[in-house]
Amino acid sequence: MMDKLKIVNLQQENIKRQQQNKEILDYLSSLKKEYKRDDNSILRKNFSNYEKYKKGITVIVPSYQGQNVIINCLKSLENQTMDKDLFDIIIVLNGESSLTLEVINQFKENHEMNNIYVYESSIANASIARNIALDNANREFILFLDDDDYLSENYLEKMYQYADYDTVVISQIVDVDQNNNKNYDNPINNQIKSVLEKEINAFSDLNMVLTINACKLIPTIKLNNLRYNEALKNGEDIVFFTEFFVKNYMNVYVIPAREQVYYYRLIRDNSVSRKQMSFEFNVNDRLRVIKLLNDLLREMKSYQNEEFDFIISKINAQSSFVKSYLEINSNERKKVFDTIREKQLSYFPYHIINRGQANKLIISYCFPPYIDTSANVMAKRIRNSGEVVDVVYNEMDRVRVKDDNTNILVEDLIEERIEISSYSSFSSWKPINDFCEEGLRKISSEKQYNEVYSRALWPGSHFLAYLFKRLHPNIKWIAEFSDPILYDIHGKERYASIDSKKFLRNVQKITKKRFKLPKVKNDNLFFWCEYLPYLFADELVFTNENQLNYMMDKFPVKKIKNIILEKVKIDRHPTLPEDFYTMYKSNYSLDESKINIAYFGNFYKTRNLNELFEGLDRLEGNVRNNFKLHIFTSKPDELQENIQKYDSRYNIAVNSYVNFLEFLNLTTKFDCLVVNDAVTKDELPINPFLPSKLSDYLGSDKKIWAIYERGSVLSSMDLHYMSELGDVNQVVRVYKEMITDAK
């Protein structure tokens, strides 16, 4: 494709030599075709495909109330050096047309321009006008010309001279203001001039000119199945030509500067490029264009080619209008982003809209689109803060599955994603250190952050945040613990060594010097993952009071308790706004005659639903049949086998996990949602865990049934139904309460 897209910028002498080349002449003879043009013409190919077209050019001119401007356009066409038998002019009047038609007919009669053909449409729409012209064009090549623009006298002759059936020919474009001042150095023309006399890649080097209507000659046969989108108020040329170039195998040829071939474009105060800023133009109209370009993206077979990048560049360019609007109307940010979300775009460049707005750096080793509870919680934190941020995270393809749908949780609030390509690990120092070193290299030294926020279950987050804080001591560091790090769910110490003596010497030295604490001879990375934030973070976030007390009391260095308490904040897992619960519509079916109860989660030795199953078994058959228990878990086959011992197995529907957005939607469909504590009473002094899914349940506006461990945070919450872990009698009571409530 690259070879096909390269412009072969031949000199006149080379073209002559090609025409005189015996091999080419022999080839033409073998086809029994002779197609001679003047000495400067490029050889034509695929003659048979063009037999239905007349030689020459169809010039297409849409005109809306153009009576005051079209005369210059017509004069430039009359003055063309090309034989008038070789070009037609199709003018399509759209909207009110009587005055313009009078001007055209008068000009046609006075100048004997019998090659002008006029069509009329009652609808004021340039796309409709161009489509009418395309339906009636019958010459080899097509040129689009606006009614207020005009051409150099040699334009059609020279464009036709360099034309070919697999080539788009491009001329220079000159801006003309209303005082007739000509600007040869406008951005588009500068791009065109920059590629003269050299080989280029059309998509990257001519991306501006490729998607405007002006200054190009196009093989008619390539437009057979392509029409302008008539629903667009503006930007229709961008969609039309983007689709044209990504779907056609085309060369692009720029006419040499010596030919002095110019398309003159009148710049008026009401032109699209000078359109007054408005929500309709800058946001709604741009999103309509972006939506159609997204449709093209979905048709691409590869995400690593020039066509894909070309479409992306066009979407990015359109989004800059949205950014401009927000810079002036920052109070309408929610309205703008709600409108973007409604379009359900597969790609939107939020990083462009948010450029220059991130004052906070998030370090979250695991982050969407990777499927992980800690990733989702961090995304919800960002959503609830409403601030634009930069995010550092690790590439986790080896250990986590991706769900690109979860990007919607935060994509509109991220300026820059900084993905680190280190080997993913929870407990190995080398990959964690690699994550830190690459993170420090990739975080921009030019940005001035006010705050760095790190969240760990994954230790790498806090280690990188610590190192970043050391480099930027005045920045505020907030460190969140999702769960205890040093001790596992059974209260046993986790251990993995830090292999770097240099790192250990440095942290031991600075902790002793700054906090006057005795030197700690400990190489356990889980110890330091807690110790460093306890000392150096400006704020410590715990998700519940039990977690704080457990971690603080269990930590080996007892002298830092007061340091911790001075900067503690209890902040439970956040709940997403209501609209996220309806973004994905689940088609999961329910029997509305039943009381439908749902549980989402895995089964462990410390967390299961045995009391729910046993409670169902204790109910009389006619009472039990009022219930349907729906379970969504990662190992449905294993669970299905385990419930065979229960009489209530027919009242239990076992399902695989669903993606996060479907999970949110499903929580709104059931009569009751079950959340349960982990069993810790035999191993831990207090239960430090609060199930994160509770925060998602709270946004569903449904009844919640908490199966709690005595003394846990869950046990103290005011939820609709409550029963203690392992107490089947209480479970039976709750089932009966549900029946009473349902009456």
Side-chain angles (χ1 to χ4, degrees):
M1 192 63 181
M2 284 288 288
D3 292 336
K4 201 64 176 165
L5 287 170
K6 284 182 178 178
I7 298 176
V8 183
N9 199 356
L10 302 172
Q11 300 286 342
Q12 265 189 325
E13 293 75 19
N14 292 337
I15 297 170
K16 288 180 182 179
R17 283 197 292 272
Q18 272 198 354
Q19 288 179 294
Q20 295 165 357
N21 185 286
K22 187 175 183 302
E23 289 183 12
I24 294 179
L25 293 175
D26 289 344
Y27 173 68
L28 292 174
S29 298
S30 70
L31 292 175
K32 298 181 179 179
K33 276 275 195 187
E34 187 175 4
Y35 196 87
K36 291 185 178 179
R37 307 294 298 276
D38 60 73
D39 285 343
N40 291 329
S41 68
I42 297 177
L43 293 172
R44 298 289 174 81
K45 299 173 276 295
N46 300 325
F47 306 110
S48 59
N49 293 335
Y50 255 77
E51 288 179 352
K52 63 179 180 180
Y53 296 107
K54 293 166 59 178
K55 291 182 180 180
I57 299 172
T58 299
V59 181
I60 291 176
V61 184
S63 182
Y64 170 70
Q65 296 183 356
Q67 60 270 13
N68 296 323
V69 295
I70 199 170
I71 196 71
N72 281 341
C73 175
L74 295 174
K75 286 180 179 178
S76 78
L77 291 169
E78 180 205 9
N79 293 331
Q80 290 298 303
T81 57
M82 186 182 215
D83 191 322
K84 289 182 174 54
D85 290 337
L86 281 175
F87 71 97
D88 295 330
I89 305 161
I90 296 181
I91 303 174
V92 182
L93 307 178
N94 56 106
E96 178 58 44
S97 61
S98 57
L99 294 176
T100 310
L101 181 60
E102 184 178 330
V103 171
I104 294 168
N105 286 337
Q106 189 66 50
F107 185 90
K108 183 176 178 180
E109 180 180 343
N110 292 344
H111 299 274
E112 297 183 356
M113 291 287 287
N114 295 321
N115 57 344
I116 296 177
Y117 303 90
V118 181
Y119 296 83
E120 295 185 65
S121 169
S122 60
I123 303 172
N125 184 302
S127 292
I128 291 175
R130 292 190 183 98
N131 287 341
I132 291 171
L134 285 170
D135 291 339
N136 289 278
N138 64 354
R139 290 191 181 268
E140 300 168 288
F141 299 94
I142 283 175
L143 176 84
F144 293 103
L145 177 64
D146 285 350
D147 63 356
D148 53 352
D149 297 341
Y150 58 97
L151 309 172
S152 60
E153 293 183 359
N154 62 347
Y155 196 91
L156 296 182
E157 180 183 3
K158 289 297 181 182
M159 293 288 274
Y160 189 53
Q161 174 181 309
Y162 286 92
D164 204 343
Y165 299 151
D166 61 356
T167 301
V168 172
V169 182
I170 291 177
S171 72
Q172 291 193 50
I173 183 168
V174 181
D175 286 350
V176 183
D177 66 20
Q178 291 172 309
N179 296 318
N180 206 36
N181 298 311
K182 295 181 175 63
N183 178 13
Y184 292 81
D185 294 320
N186 61 78
I188 296 178
N189 205 45
N190 283 339
Q191 187 180 77
I192 293 170
K193 290 189 293 183
S194 71
V195 305
L196 290 168
E197 312 298 335
K198 72 172 186 177
E199 289 188 356
I200 64 165
N201 175 286
F203 284 156
S204 59
D205 294 327
L206 288 172
N207 65 313
M208 293 172 68
V209 70
L210 291 185
T211 52
I212 62 173
N213 291 308
C215 71
K216 58 176 69 70
L217 189 69
I218 309 157
T220 306
I221 198 169
K222 298 293 185 179
L223 299 176
N224 271 349
N225 299 316
L226 187 63
R227 291 296 181 268
Y228 286 85
N229 189 298
E230 298 174 359
L232 294 177
K233 299 177 184 178
N234 45 67
E236 70 283 349
D237 52 344
I238 294 165
V239 176
F240 181 86
F241 281 105
T242 301
E243 184 175 2
F244 171 78
F245 280 105
V246 300
K247 289 187 175 180
N248 285 289
Y249 196 60
M250 300 298 296
N251 292 319
V252 178
Y253 185 82
V254 177
I255 288 191
R258 64 177 178 277
E259 301 287 13
Q260 298 185 31
V261 178
Y262 300 117
Y263 183 109
Y264 294 100
R265 179 176 64 163
L266 183 63
I267 302 299
R268 291 189 284 180
D269 290 337
N270 63 346
S271 65
V272 170
S273 60
R274 299 188 178 188
K275 202 86 169 177
Q276 186 173 0
M277 185 177 291
S278 69
F279 189 89
E280 184 62 21
F281 176 79
N282 286 71
V283 180
N284 281 335
D285 287 352
R286 304 287 59 78
L287 289 176
R288 292 183 185 105
V289 172
I290 290 172
K291 175 70 171 174
L292 292 168
L293 295 175
N294 264 259
D295 293 342
L296 276 178
L297 273 184
R298 281 190 284 270
E299 296 178 31
M300 293 291 98
K301 295 180 180 179
S302 171
Y303 295 161
Q304 295 180 336
N305 58 26
E306 294 87 357
E307 293 94 334
F308 183 85
D309 292 342
F310 182 57
I311 300 171
I312 292 293
S313 73
K314 293 299 155 184
I315 295 174
N316 291 349
Q318 289 293 294
S319 73
S320 65
F321 287 88
V322 182
K323 177 176 172 61
S324 297
Y325 183 82
L326 279 173
E327 287 172 349
I328 304 298
N329 303 279
S330 58
N331 60 314
E332 294 189 45
R333 181 179 176 86
K334 185 179 186 306
K335 179 183 177 182
V336 169
F337 282 88
D338 285 348
T339 306
I340 295 170
R341 233 185 338 259
E342 286 169 6
K343 296 294 182 183
Q344 297 183 328
L345 304 170
S346 58
Y347 170 74
F348 186 83
Y350 289 104
H351 62 283
I352 292 177
I353 306 300
N354 292 329
R355 188 174 293 150
Q357 295 190 44
N359 295 314
K360 181 190 289 188
L361 178 66
I362 303 293
I363 302 177
S364 181
Y365 195 86
C366 190
F367 193 75
Y370 295 103
I371 301 175
D372 188 277
T373 300
S374 63
N376 290 340
V377 173
M378 190 65 250
K380 291 192 292 181
R381 289 258 186 246
I382 295 171
R383 169 55 56 194
N384 279 20
S385 77
E387 298 176 71
V388 174
V389 299
D390 289 344
V391 182
V392 183
Y393 62 100
N394 204 50
E395 181 274 304
M396 304 190 76
D397 289 342
R398 187 184 64 86
V399 296
R400 289 291 183 269
V401 176
K402 279 185 178 180
D403 177 8
D404 289 330
N405 289 319
T406 58
N407 285 329
I408 200 170
L409 301 177
V410 285
E411 59 188 352
D412 57 318
L413 292 171
I414 295 177
E415 178 181 346
E416 184 180 4
R417 284 175 171 266
I418 306 169
E419 185 176 75
I420 307 303
S421 57
S422 62
Y423 185 86
S424 298
S425 177
F426 179 77
S427 58
S428 178
W429 176 249
K430 184 181 185 309
I432 291 174
N433 187 59
D434 290 345
F435 171 78
C436 294
E437 289 184 351
E438 187 176 346
L440 291 176
R441 284 196 300 271
K442 284 191 171 183
I443 297 170
S444 174
S445 59
E446 298 178 2
K447 285 193 175 182
Q448 299 297 316
Y449 296 109
N450 299 325
E451 182 181 303
V452 58
Y453 191 110
S454 60
R455 186 175 194 276
L457 183 62
W458 295 85
S461 300
H462 286 341
F463 282 110
L464 175 54
Y466 161 74
L467 293 170
F468 190 77
K469 171 74 171 178
R470 294 280 292 119
L471 291 173
H472 306 276
N474 294 325
I475 197 171
K476 182 180 181 181
W477 174 20
I478 301 176
E480 178 184 348
F481 292 96
S482 66
D483 284 313
I485 301 291
L486 182 54
Y487 297 97
D488 66 17
I489 194 169
H490 303 291
K492 295 181 179 179
E493 184 175 348
R494 294 186 175 107
Y495 176 79
S497 65
I498 293 178
D499 301 327
S500 171
K501 292 181 180 179
K502 180 180 179 181
F503 178 85
L504 289 170
R505 280 197 305 269
N506 286 339
V507 293
Q508 289 164 347
K509 180 179 178 180
I510 192 172
T511 54
K512 182 179 179 180
K513 180 179 179 181
R514 180 168 175 181
F515 298 97
K516 311 302 181 185
L517 292 167
K519 183 177 180 181
V520 178
K521 294 183 179 181
N522 194 324
D523 67 348
N524 186 356
L525 74 83
F526 296 109
F527 168 86
W528 288 102
C529 186
E530 288 191 11
Y531 196 34
L532 291 174
Y534 289 164
L535 296 178
F536 293 96
D538 300 282
E539 186 176 299
L540 296 168
V541 176
F542 297 86
T543 57
N544 66 80
E545 298 84 350
N546 282 6
Q547 178 196 2
L548 163 64
N549 292 326
Y550 175 79
M551 292 177 66
M552 189 168 54
D553 292 344
K554 286 273 287 183
F555 194 72
V557 183
K558 303 303 181 184
K559 293 184 177 181
I560 65 167
K561 187 172 182 177
N562 289 335
I563 296 176
I564 295 173
L565 289 174
E566 286 176 359
K567 46 192 176 185
V568 160
K569 178 181 179 182
I570 303 299
D571 194 359
R572 292 182 181 170
H573 300 113
T575 297
L576 287 166
E578 182 181 352
D579 56 332
F580 284 90
Y581 287 77
T582 57
M583 285 182 179
Y584 184 102
K585 304 292 186 182
S586 177
N587 58 7
Y588 187 80
S589 61
L590 296 173
D591 183 347
E592 299 296 336
S593 68
K594 306 282 188 184
I595 297 173
N596 292 289
I597 305 170
Y599 175 82
F600 299 84
N602 285 324
F603 290 74
Y604 310 97
K605 181 180 178 181
T606 57
R607 181 178 275 130
N608 57 61
L609 296 179
N610 291 345
E611 56 265 76
L612 260 66
F613 305 149
E614 291 174 17
L616 274 178
D617 272 6
R618 289 192 189 182
L619 297 175
E620 294 180 4
N622 61 330
V623 178
R624 182 194 306 151
N625 287 334
N626 287 298
F627 295 96
K628 191 73 173 184
L629 179 57
H630 305 261
I631 299 175
F632 298 82
T633 187
S634 65
K635 297 179 179 179
D637 293 340
E638 185 177 303
L639 178 60
Q640 191 71 56
E641 183 178 343
N642 291 340
I643 65 173
Q644 293 308 305
K645 62 185 178 184
Y646 296 106
D647 294 336
S648 58
R649 60 186 177 277
Y650 302 110
N651 301 83
I652 303 170
V654 180
N655 306 277
S656 299
Y657 263 159
V658 295
N659 68 55
F660 186 68
L661 288 179
E662 183 174 2
F663 155 69
L664 292 179
N665 185 244
L666 280 172
T667 63
T668 68
K669 296 181 179 297
F670 296 99
D671 299 300
C672 181
L673 304 168
V674 174
V675 59
N676 55 347
D677 269 331
V679 179
T680 66
K681 62 181 181 179
D682 295 331
E683 297 173 318
L684 306 182
I686 55 173
N687 188 330
F689 306 106
L690 179 63
S692 63
K693 67 167 134 312
L694 176 61
S695 63
D696 299 315
Y697 286 0
L698 290 171
S700 70
D701 198 30
K702 292 295 181 179
K703 295 175 182 178
I704 299 172
W705 180 358
I707 304 175
Y708 63 86
E709 185 173 62
R710 189 172 299 180
S712 73
V713 177
L714 187 61
S715 71
S716 65
M717 300 187 72
D718 184 18
L719 300 173
H720 202 90
Y721 301 113
M722 305 287 288
S723 65
E724 191 172 345
L725 274 171
D727 193 327
V728 180
N729 290 330
Q730 291 188 31
V731 168
V732 172
R733 172 184 53 77
V734 170
Y735 280 136
K736 291 180 179 179
E737 285 181 22
M738 288 185 181
I739 291 176
T740 302
D741 291 346
K743 289 180 180 179

